[in-house]
Amino acid sequence: MNKKSDIIYGIRTVIEAVKSGQHLERVFIQKNLKGDLYKELMLALHNTSTPISKVPVERINKFTSKNHQGVVALISPVQYHTLEHLIPKLYEEGKNPLILVLDEITDIRNFGAIARTSECLGVHGLVIPSRGGAQINEDAVKTSAGAFNYLPVCRERSLLDAVRYLQESGINVIACSEKTDNTLDEINFTLPTAIIIGSEDVGISPELIDLSNEIAKVPMTGSIESLNVGVAAGMALYEVQRQRKD
């Protein structure tokens, strides 16, 4: 559980935090909560990508014994970005965008390791879903060796919409998956690029694979046909840097 200093509680307190631009990792709301303040809270949260969990009051009581009014929020250790601001900024700065899209990576250690590798290998931003993936908590920040302090993270409600926006912005979207005969060294990574990395158990969702411009895999010669997701991400990003330095 997060330290007490990482949480805020009370409906009005959370509303004011949202309105002031405070970035929240998740908001826990007591099931069956009603009233005008509750409606105001939901309206304020509607305009953000903050994940919301409707939970029994017993779950909220575990965070604090004080008068929480059925609402507790976890403060995010990072400031989130949006693709609509990040991508134009990269182009304006004359950069060749390299974006990593994480499709429901749930293991905190993998998440942190990918962030660390991404920062080291020139990724300009991570895209994560607002629901279904690992949270950027204290453990994730620690595992990333501080990379989350330098690497922009965009938390998007829909990865499908995020990928469509990337494509509309002139970015070639590559699904890194073993479900193809094409290998990463066959892809032209000198173009503006976004690479999709799938979850540890089921990989990339079929909808995202169908939407991608190309599919490619890490070339392997061993008997085991899959890699740890963090290792696969690192190898894909190395191939990008190898091509862009030639």
Side-chain angles (χ1 to χ4, degrees):
M1 182 180 295
N2 288 50
K3 297 177 295 184
K4 285 187 170 53
S5 59
D6 294 331
I7 73 170
I8 55 177
Y9 53 87
I11 302 178
R12 176 57 66 187
T13 300
V14 175
I15 289 173
E16 294 305 324
V18 173
K19 288 184 175 180
S20 69
Q22 174 72 57
H23 289 233
L24 303 177
E25 195 60 33
R26 185 174 293 274
V27 176
F28 294 89
I29 299 177
Q30 179 182 332
K31 288 182 178 180
N32 301 319
L33 197 63
K34 298 178 181 179
D36 292 340
L37 267 182
Y38 165 75
K39 293 178 182 178
E40 186 178 344
L41 171 64
M42 297 305 294
L43 182 61
L45 289 170
H46 178 73
N47 297 320
T48 76
S49 61
T50 306
I52 300 170
S53 295
K54 298 290 186 70
V55 298
V57 67
E58 292 79 10
R59 176 76 185 278
I60 297 179
N61 288 338
K62 291 181 179 179
F63 287 101
T64 179
S65 59
K66 297 182 180 179
N67 184 20
H68 50 64
Q69 298 176 297
V71 176
V72 167
L74 306 183
I75 298 173
S76 175
V78 301
Q79 297 292 298
Y80 287 104
H81 298 250
T82 64
L83 282 176
E84 287 78 6
H85 287 90
L86 177 63
I87 301 304
K89 182 173 181 288
L90 292 175
Y91 280 127
E92 289 169 6
E93 294 174 349
K95 294 179 179 177
N96 186 8
L98 175 57
I99 305 296
L100 199 62
V101 180
L102 304 183
D103 183 15
E104 297 193 5
I105 302 297
T106 56
D107 186 276
I108 288 292
R109 290 168 296 181
N110 284 336
F111 188 27
I114 289 171
R116 182 176 184 176
T117 301
S118 297
E119 203 284 325
C120 291
L121 291 179
V123 171
H124 298 113
L126 293 181
V127 179
I128 63 174
S130 59
R131 298 185 66 88
Q135 295 181 14
I136 302 182
N137 57 22
E138 187 177 342
D139 290 336
V141 173
K142 182 178 180 180
T143 307
S144 77
F148 283 118
N149 296 321
Y150 302 97
L151 182 65
V153 179
C154 301
R155 186 172 60 184
E156 301 292 329
R157 289 181 178 176
S158 167
L159 290 187
L160 289 172
D161 289 344
V163 167
R164 292 188 186 99
Y165 176 80
L166 291 169
Q167 291 171 325
E168 292 168 359
S169 301
I171 294 175
N172 198 36
V173 177
I174 311 300
C176 186
S177 170
E178 73 279 0
K179 299 176 182 178
T180 180
D181 292 328
N182 301 324
T183 55
L184 288 166
D185 57 331
E186 300 177 69
I187 302 296
N188 181 6
F189 285 120
T190 63
L191 301 172
T193 297
I195 299 174
I196 305 176
I197 301 294
S199 64
E200 296 89 346
D201 51 355
V202 297
I204 302 171
S205 69
E207 294 82 3
L208 282 174
I209 286 183
D210 290 342
L211 189 58
S212 300
N213 298 106
E214 300 180 82
I215 308 171
K217 65 181 179 180
V218 176
M220 293 183 290
T221 59
S223 299
I224 301 175
E225 297 183 354
S226 64
L227 292 169
N228 169 272
V229 64
V231 173
M235 296 181 74
L237 294 176
Y238 176 79
E239 176 61 24
V240 176
Q241 294 308 319
R242 185 190 70 79
Q243 289 190 25
R244 291 189 175 190
K245 288 182 179 179
D246 289 346

